[in-house]
Amino acid sequence: MVQNVAGIIAELESEDIYLLSGLEQGMRFSEWVQKSKLPEFAGLTPEEVDYRIDRCLDRELIERKTIQYEGYRLKFEGYDALALHTFAERETIDGVGTSLGVGKESDVYEARSYRPLALKYHREGITEFREVNRERNYTADHEHVSWMYTARKAAEQEYAALQDLYPEVSVPRPIDHNRHAIVMEKMTGVELSQTQLDDDQVLPVLSLIIEELAAAYQQNRVHADISEYNIFISEDGITIFDWPQSVSADHANAPELLERDLENIIGYFSRKYPNNVENIDVKEVKQAVIDDEFTTVEACQSGCQSV
């Protein structure tokens, strides 16, 4: 999806961007924007709007409906194009490379620059919108929200979290943000779910992960969705990513969410390495994290006292 848009960016003219931006503005008020309102929103003449609509339809950046009235709205590709255009104007990135990961709620691509970067597009609004809207705190106060709003708020929240956490916590370094997209440092390593640790690595790696969660807590953040799928392991250590659903440590549900994170990651290690991980009291670990007294998993197997 993004790679296709990256190839189109060079073809777009300023007036095409004006039309896309006008649709973005109009979609703040309704899902579909009446054609008659586009000259005002886009700052174009009616004749220019007609021409630009055809160009953007041909490139599958927008879509049309003709029931009740002739209306238009951005497709995700159109929103992608606006964000990419902004990054290009800022000279944040030079281009988009290969896919690094495609998921239900985000797409991540290699970003071309003078250093290794990654471009992440949030897709929360495109699938399972009702579930995202109900569970994510950045939409909780809005009864009626669009996919565009949901994706943008997710990116805003994740970028803010990365700024709060880096470099005290091992997270990708945040570089830039626009609309529903984030440019960040490219991670190295392998996803935890794809690794097979040696016996003597299991507890040290688990301890290292919990240390980072504890460091995040001291920076006033709880991940709130930790799993084996958002932790990278490399020779240099670990990196924890995917922070859009994170909450502040003083949030009313923070202790519960912290405990759930710990249950998830300790449970994963217990299932995969049952001979190495046992007798770990999640509640004791949680309290040690909250009190800033966590040392190692081995210590918590003995009541969270220093070993």
Side-chain angles (χ1 to χ4, degrees), residues 72-98:
Y72 296 86
R73 68 179 177 185
L74 289 174
K75 298 177 66 174
F76 246 118
E77 289 82 355
Y79 207 36
D80 294 347
L82 286 172
L84 270 181
H85 176 76
T86 300
F87 288 141
E89 282 195 324
R90 294 175 180 170
E91 299 184 347
T92 301
I93 62 176
D94 300 324
V96 179
T98 59

PDB file of all heavy atoms in Angstrom, residues 72-98:
ATOM      1  N   TYR A  72     -17.060  12.797  -1.960  1.00  0.00           N
ATOM      2  CA  TYR A  72     -15.735  12.178  -2.057  1.00  0.00           C
ATOM      3  C   TYR A  72     -15.127  12.063  -0.659  1.00  0.00           C
ATOM      4  O   TYR A  72     -15.461  12.825   0.252  1.00  0.00           O
ATOM      5  CB  TYR A  72     -14.804  13.007  -2.958  1.00  0.00           C
ATOM      6  CG  TYR A  72     -15.276  13.068  -4.379  1.00  0.00           C
ATOM      7  CD1 TYR A  72     -16.194  14.039  -4.792  1.00  0.00           C
ATOM      8  CD2 TYR A  72     -14.832  12.137  -5.312  1.00  0.00           C
ATOM      9  CE1 TYR A  72     -16.649  14.082  -6.100  1.00  0.00           C
ATOM     10  CE2 TYR A  72     -15.289  12.174  -6.628  1.00  0.00           C
ATOM     11  CZ  TYR A  72     -16.189  13.146  -7.015  1.00  0.00           C
ATOM     12  OH  TYR A  72     -16.643  13.174  -8.304  1.00  0.00           O
ATOM     13  N   ARG A  73     -14.235  11.120  -0.539  1.00  0.00           N
ATOM     14  CA  ARG A  73     -13.479  10.997   0.699  1.00  0.00           C
ATOM     15  C   ARG A  73     -12.100  10.418   0.386  1.00  0.00           C
ATOM     16  O   ARG A  73     -11.891   9.763  -0.638  1.00  0.00           O
ATOM     17  CB  ARG A  73     -14.199  10.106   1.710  1.00  0.00           C
ATOM     18  CG  ARG A  73     -14.294   8.630   1.330  1.00  0.00           C
ATOM     19  CD  ARG A  73     -15.012   7.842   2.417  1.00  0.00           C
ATOM     20  NE  ARG A  73     -15.166   6.437   2.045  1.00  0.00           N
ATOM     21  CZ  ARG A  73     -15.836   5.538   2.771  1.00  0.00           C
ATOM     22  NH1 ARG A  73     -16.426   5.918   3.900  1.00  0.00           N
ATOM     23  NH2 ARG A  73     -15.925   4.277   2.379  1.00  0.00           N
ATOM     24  N   LEU A  74     -11.159  10.661   1.289  1.00  0.00           N
ATOM     25  CA  LEU A  74      -9.824  10.091   1.162  1.00  0.00           C
ATOM     26  C   LEU A  74      -9.874   8.589   1.395  1.00  0.00           C
ATOM     27  O   LEU A  74     -10.592   8.106   2.270  1.00  0.00           O
ATOM     28  CB  LEU A  74      -8.882  10.696   2.198  1.00  0.00           C
ATOM     29  CG  LEU A  74      -8.429  12.145   2.057  1.00  0.00           C
ATOM     30  CD1 LEU A  74      -7.622  12.539   3.283  1.00  0.00           C
ATOM     31  CD2 LEU A  74      -7.612  12.331   0.795  1.00  0.00           C
ATOM     32  N   LYS A  75      -9.099   7.844   0.637  1.00  0.00           N
ATOM     33  CA  LYS A  75      -8.776   6.475   0.995  1.00  0.00           C
ATOM     34  C   LYS A  75      -7.510   6.534   1.866  1.00  0.00           C
ATOM     35  O   LYS A  75      -6.853   7.576   1.962  1.00  0.00           O
ATOM     36  CB  LYS A  75      -8.543   5.639  -0.259  1.00  0.00           C
ATOM     37  CG  LYS A  75      -9.769   5.536  -1.160  1.00  0.00           C
ATOM     38  CD  LYS A  75      -9.483   4.766  -2.438  1.00  0.00           C
ATOM     39  CE  LYS A  75      -9.177   3.301  -2.181  1.00  0.00           C
ATOM     40  NZ  LYS A  75      -9.033   2.547  -3.454  1.00  0.00           N
ATOM     41  N   PHE A  76      -7.179   5.433   2.499  1.00  0.00           N
ATOM     42  CA  PHE A  76      -5.959   5.437   3.301  1.00  0.00           C
ATOM     43  C   PHE A  76      -4.761   5.823   2.442  1.00  0.00           C
ATOM     44  O   PHE A  76      -3.834   6.491   2.900  1.00  0.00           O
ATOM     45  CB  PHE A  76      -5.726   4.063   3.946  1.00  0.00           C
ATOM     46  CG  PHE A  76      -5.843   4.098   5.439  1.00  0.00           C
ATOM     47  CD1 PHE A  76      -6.808   3.361   6.085  1.00  0.00           C
ATOM     48  CD2 PHE A  76      -4.984   4.858   6.207  1.00  0.00           C
ATOM     49  CE1 PHE A  76      -6.924   3.389   7.471  1.00  0.00           C
ATOM     50  CE2 PHE A  76      -5.080   4.900   7.588  1.00  0.00           C
ATOM     51  CZ  PHE A  76      -6.049   4.160   8.216  1.00  0.00           C
ATOM     52  N   GLU A  77      -4.779   5.415   1.153  1.00  0.00           N
ATOM     53  CA  GLU A  77      -3.682   5.776   0.268  1.00  0.00           C
ATOM     54  C   GLU A  77      -3.553   7.295   0.110  1.00  0.00           C
ATOM     55  O   GLU A  77      -2.447   7.822   0.005  1.00  0.00           O
ATOM     56  CB  GLU A  77      -3.870   5.118  -1.095  1.00  0.00           C
ATOM     57  CG  GLU A  77      -3.667   3.612  -1.106  1.00  0.00           C
ATOM     58  CD  GLU A  77      -4.892   2.830  -0.648  1.00  0.00           C
ATOM     59  OE1 GLU A  77      -5.887   3.455  -0.225  1.00  0.00           O
ATOM     60  OE2 GLU A  77      -4.853   1.590  -0.736  1.00  0.00           O
ATOM     61  N   GLY A  78      -4.685   7.986   0.072  1.00  0.00           N
ATOM     62  CA  GLY A  78      -4.641   9.441  -0.011  1.00  0.00           C
ATOM     63  C   GLY A  78      -4.067  10.065   1.243  1.00  0.00           C
ATOM     64  O   GLY A  78      -3.307  11.052   1.177  1.00  0.00           O
ATOM     65  N   TYR A  79      -4.434   9.508   2.392  1.00  0.00           N
ATOM     66  CA  TYR A  79      -3.887  10.001   3.657  1.00  0.00           C
ATOM     67  C   TYR A  79      -2.392   9.703   3.731  1.00  0.00           C
ATOM     68  O   TYR A  79      -1.601  10.524   4.200  1.00  0.00           O
ATOM     69  CB  TYR A  79      -4.646   9.337   4.801  1.00  0.00           C
ATOM     70  CG  TYR A  79      -4.700  10.144   6.080  1.00  0.00           C
ATOM     71  CD1 TYR A  79      -4.798  11.527   6.066  1.00  0.00           C
ATOM     72  CD2 TYR A  79      -4.683   9.495   7.314  1.00  0.00           C
ATOM     73  CE1 TYR A  79      -4.867  12.255   7.247  1.00  0.00           C
ATOM     74  CE2 TYR A  79      -4.754  10.207   8.504  1.00  0.00           C
ATOM     75  CZ  TYR A  79      -4.841  11.592   8.458  1.00  0.00           C
ATOM     76  OH  TYR A  79      -4.916  12.306   9.624  1.00  0.00           O
ATOM     77  N   ASP A  80      -2.001   8.505   3.241  1.00  0.00           N
ATOM     78  CA  ASP A  80      -0.581   8.163   3.163  1.00  0.00           C
ATOM     79  C   ASP A  80       0.180   9.182   2.329  1.00  0.00           C
ATOM     80  O   ASP A  80       1.269   9.621   2.692  1.00  0.00           O
ATOM     81  CB  ASP A  80      -0.397   6.782   2.518  1.00  0.00           C
ATOM     82  CG  ASP A  80      -0.945   5.643   3.357  1.00  0.00           C
ATOM     83  OD1 ASP A  80      -1.246   5.859   4.543  1.00  0.00           O
ATOM     84  OD2 ASP A  80      -1.072   4.530   2.806  1.00  0.00           O
ATOM     85  N   ALA A  81      -0.416   9.547   1.191  1.00  0.00           N
ATOM     86  CA  ALA A  81       0.243  10.494   0.290  1.00  0.00           C
ATOM     87  C   ALA A  81       0.465  11.847   0.959  1.00  0.00           C
ATOM     88  O   ALA A  81       1.530  12.466   0.787  1.00  0.00           O
ATOM     89  CB  ALA A  81      -0.586  10.667  -0.983  1.00  0.00           C
ATOM     90  N   LEU A  82      -0.507  12.309   1.731  1.00  0.00           N
ATOM     91  CA  LEU A  82      -0.351  13.588   2.427  1.00  0.00           C
ATOM     92  C   LEU A  82       0.788  13.530   3.442  1.00  0.00           C
ATOM     93  O   LEU A  82       1.598  14.457   3.542  1.00  0.00           O
ATOM     94  CB  LEU A  82      -1.657  13.971   3.116  1.00  0.00           C
ATOM     95  CG  LEU A  82      -2.782  14.467   2.214  1.00  0.00           C
ATOM     96  CD1 LEU A  82      -4.082  14.623   3.001  1.00  0.00           C
ATOM     97  CD2 LEU A  82      -2.404  15.796   1.559  1.00  0.00           C
ATOM     98  N   ALA A  83       0.857  12.453   4.208  1.00  0.00           N
ATOM     99  CA  ALA A  83       1.929  12.324   5.197  1.00  0.00           C
ATOM    100  C   ALA A  83       3.289  12.203   4.511  1.00  0.00           C
ATOM    101  O   ALA A  83       4.268  12.849   4.919  1.00  0.00           O
ATOM    102  CB  ALA A  83       1.676  11.123   6.093  1.00  0.00           C
ATOM    103  N   LEU A  84       3.369  11.388   3.464  1.00  0.00           N
ATOM    104  CA  LEU A  84       4.631  11.233   2.752  1.00  0.00           C
ATOM    105  C   LEU A  84       5.086  12.554   2.136  1.00  0.00           C
ATOM    106  O   LEU A  84       6.277  12.888   2.152  1.00  0.00           O
ATOM    107  CB  LEU A  84       4.480  10.179   1.650  1.00  0.00           C
ATOM    108  CG  LEU A  84       4.790   8.727   2.015  1.00  0.00           C
ATOM    109  CD1 LEU A  84       4.602   7.835   0.802  1.00  0.00           C
ATOM    110  CD2 LEU A  84       6.188   8.580   2.576  1.00  0.00           C
ATOM    111  N   HIS A  85       4.136  13.294   1.588  1.00  0.00           N
ATOM    112  CA  HIS A  85       4.464  14.599   1.007  1.00  0.00           C
ATOM    113  C   HIS A  85       5.057  15.526   2.067  1.00  0.00           C
ATOM    114  O   HIS A  85       6.050  16.237   1.800  1.00  0.00           O
ATOM    115  CB  HIS A  85       3.199  15.225   0.408  1.00  0.00           C
ATOM    116  CG  HIS A  85       3.399  16.604  -0.138  1.00  0.00           C
ATOM    117  ND1 HIS A  85       4.036  16.859  -1.333  1.00  0.00           N
ATOM    118  CD2 HIS A  85       3.055  17.828   0.363  1.00  0.00           C
ATOM    119  CE1 HIS A  85       4.069  18.156  -1.546  1.00  0.00           C
ATOM    120  NE2 HIS A  85       3.485  18.770  -0.542  1.00  0.00           N
ATOM    121  N   THR A  86       4.484  15.512   3.265  1.00  0.00           N
ATOM    122  CA  THR A  86       5.007  16.352   4.348  1.00  0.00           C
ATOM    123  C   THR A  86       6.408  15.918   4.753  1.00  0.00           C
ATOM    124  O   THR A  86       7.297  16.763   4.941  1.00  0.00           O
ATOM    125  CB  THR A  86       4.060  16.303   5.559  1.00  0.00           C
ATOM    126  OG1 THR A  86       2.778  16.791   5.175  1.00  0.00           O
ATOM    127  CG2 THR A  86       4.596  17.148   6.705  1.00  0.00           C
ATOM    128  N   PHE A  87       6.635  14.605   4.899  1.00  0.00           N
ATOM    129  CA  PHE A  87       7.973  14.125   5.256  1.00  0.00           C
ATOM    130  C   PHE A  87       8.997  14.509   4.192  1.00  0.00           C
ATOM    131  O   PHE A  87      10.148  14.836   4.510  1.00  0.00           O
ATOM    132  CB  PHE A  87       7.965  12.610   5.448  1.00  0.00           C
ATOM    133  CG  PHE A  87       7.267  12.151   6.694  1.00  0.00           C
ATOM    134  CD1 PHE A  87       6.476  11.004   6.679  1.00  0.00           C
ATOM    135  CD2 PHE A  87       7.400  12.829   7.896  1.00  0.00           C
ATOM    136  CE1 PHE A  87       5.828  10.567   7.829  1.00  0.00           C
ATOM    137  CE2 PHE A  87       6.773  12.399   9.053  1.00  0.00           C
ATOM    138  CZ  PHE A  87       5.976  11.262   9.015  1.00  0.00           C
ATOM    139  N   ALA A  88       8.587  14.449   2.928  1.00  0.00           N
ATOM    140  CA  ALA A  88       9.497  14.822   1.838  1.00  0.00           C
ATOM    141  C   ALA A  88       9.818  16.307   1.894  1.00  0.00           C
ATOM    142  O   ALA A  88      10.979  16.715   1.710  1.00  0.00           O
ATOM    143  CB  ALA A  88       8.878  14.458   0.492  1.00  0.00           C
ATOM    144  N   GLU A  89       8.806  17.141   2.160  1.00  0.00           N
ATOM    145  CA  GLU A  89       9.040  18.586   2.260  1.00  0.00           C
ATOM    146  C   GLU A  89       9.977  18.914   3.418  1.00  0.00           C
ATOM    147  O   GLU A  89      10.785  19.839   3.325  1.00  0.00           O
ATOM    148  CB  GLU A  89       7.709  19.313   2.439  1.00  0.00           C
ATOM    149  CG  GLU A  89       6.893  19.465   1.162  1.00  0.00           C
ATOM    150  CD  GLU A  89       5.789  20.500   1.325  1.00  0.00           C
ATOM    151  OE1 GLU A  89       5.205  20.581   2.431  1.00  0.00           O
ATOM    152  OE2 GLU A  89       5.525  21.235   0.346  1.00  0.00           O
ATOM    153  N   ARG A  90       9.847  18.188   4.500  1.00  0.00           N
ATOM    154  CA  ARG A  90      10.712  18.413   5.665  1.00  0.00           C
ATOM    155  C   ARG A  90      12.091  17.797   5.483  1.00  0.00           C
ATOM    156  O   ARG A  90      12.964  17.965   6.337  1.00  0.00           O
ATOM    157  CB  ARG A  90      10.064  17.810   6.918  1.00  0.00           C
ATOM    158  CG  ARG A  90       8.776  18.481   7.360  1.00  0.00           C
ATOM    159  CD  ARG A  90       8.199  17.704   8.535  1.00  0.00           C
ATOM    160  NE  ARG A  90       6.945  18.277   9.025  1.00  0.00           N
ATOM    161  CZ  ARG A  90       6.143  17.680   9.912  1.00  0.00           C
ATOM    162  NH1 ARG A  90       6.476  16.491  10.400  1.00  0.00           N
ATOM    163  NH2 ARG A  90       5.030  18.261  10.294  1.00  0.00           N
ATOM    164  N   GLU A  91      12.257  16.992   4.423  1.00  0.00           N
ATOM    165  CA  GLU A  91      13.494  16.254   4.156  1.00  0.00           C
ATOM    166  C   GLU A  91      13.801  15.263   5.272  1.00  0.00           C
ATOM    167  O   GLU A  91      14.960  14.984   5.590  1.00  0.00           O
ATOM    168  CB  GLU A  91      14.668  17.221   3.955  1.00  0.00           C
ATOM    169  CG  GLU A  91      14.470  18.153   2.763  1.00  0.00           C
ATOM    170  CD  GLU A  91      15.660  19.050   2.509  1.00  0.00           C
ATOM    171  OE1 GLU A  91      16.551  19.133   3.381  1.00  0.00           O
ATOM    172  OE2 GLU A  91      15.705  19.674   1.433  1.00  0.00           O
ATOM    173  N   THR A  92      12.737  14.741   5.863  1.00  0.00           N
ATOM    174  CA  THR A  92      12.896  13.709   6.900  1.00  0.00           C
ATOM    175  C   THR A  92      13.368  12.402   6.288  1.00  0.00           C
ATOM    176  O   THR A  92      14.242  11.722   6.839  1.00  0.00           O
ATOM    177  CB  THR A  92      11.565  13.481   7.640  1.00  0.00           C
ATOM    178  OG1 THR A  92      11.136  14.703   8.229  1.00  0.00           O
ATOM    179  CG2 THR A  92      11.733  12.426   8.728  1.00  0.00           C
ATOM    180  N   ILE A  93      12.793  12.024   5.159  1.00  0.00           N
ATOM    181  CA  ILE A  93      13.174  10.809   4.455  1.00  0.00           C
ATOM    182  C   ILE A  93      13.297  11.121   2.962  1.00  0.00           C
ATOM    183  O   ILE A  93      12.711  12.086   2.462  1.00  0.00           O
ATOM    184  CB  ILE A  93      12.172   9.660   4.679  1.00  0.00           C
ATOM    185  CG1 ILE A  93      10.786  10.035   4.143  1.00  0.00           C
ATOM    186  CG2 ILE A  93      12.113   9.276   6.149  1.00  0.00           C
ATOM    187  CD1 ILE A  93       9.780   8.890   4.253  1.00  0.00           C
ATOM    188  N   ASP A  94      14.055  10.269   2.274  1.00  0.00           N
ATOM    189  CA  ASP A  94      14.247  10.430   0.837  1.00  0.00           C
ATOM    190  C   ASP A  94      13.355   9.505   0.025  1.00  0.00           C
ATOM    191  O   ASP A  94      13.153   9.725  -1.166  1.00  0.00           O
ATOM    192  CB  ASP A  94      15.708  10.147   0.466  1.00  0.00           C
ATOM    193  CG  ASP A  94      16.668  11.088   1.168  1.00  0.00           C
ATOM    194  OD1 ASP A  94      16.307  12.265   1.341  1.00  0.00           O
ATOM    195  OD2 ASP A  94      17.762  10.646   1.552  1.00  0.00           O
ATOM    196  N   GLY A  95      12.839   8.464   0.648  1.00  0.00           N
ATOM    197  CA  GLY A  95      12.011   7.503  -0.068  1.00  0.00           C
ATOM    198  C   GLY A  95      11.585   6.381   0.847  1.00  0.00           C
ATOM    199  O   GLY A  95      11.926   6.342   2.029  1.00  0.00           O
ATOM    200  N   VAL A  96      10.825   5.448   0.293  1.00  0.00           N
ATOM    201  CA  VAL A  96      10.303   4.311   1.049  1.00  0.00           C
ATOM    202  C   VAL A  96      10.837   3.030   0.437  1.00  0.00           C
ATOM    203  O   VAL A  96      10.795   2.845  -0.786  1.00  0.00           O
ATOM    204  CB  VAL A  96       8.763   4.297   1.042  1.00  0.00           C
ATOM    205  CG1 VAL A  96       8.229   3.097   1.810  1.00  0.00           C
ATOM    206  CG2 VAL A  96       8.228   5.597   1.641  1.00  0.00           C
ATOM    207  N   GLY A  97      11.354   2.143   1.293  1.00  0.00           N
ATOM    208  CA  GLY A  97      11.922   0.890   0.827  1.00  0.00           C
ATOM    209  C   GLY A  97      11.005  -0.292   1.059  1.00  0.00           C
ATOM    210  O   GLY A  97       9.786  -0.191   0.963  1.00  0.00           O
ATOM    211  N   THR A  98      11.599  -1.402   1.425  1.00  0.00           N
ATOM    212  CA  THR A  98      10.867  -2.651   1.555  1.00  0.00           C
ATOM    213  C   THR A  98      10.036  -2.695   2.836  1.00  0.00           C
ATOM    214  O   THR A  98      10.273  -1.938   3.779  1.00  0.00           O
ATOM    215  CB  THR A  98      11.834  -3.845   1.553  1.00  0.00           C
ATOM    216  OG1 THR A  98      12.752  -3.691   2.652  1.00  0.00           O
ATOM    217  CG2 THR A  98      12.616  -3.900   0.251  1.00  0.00           C
TER     218      THR A  98
END
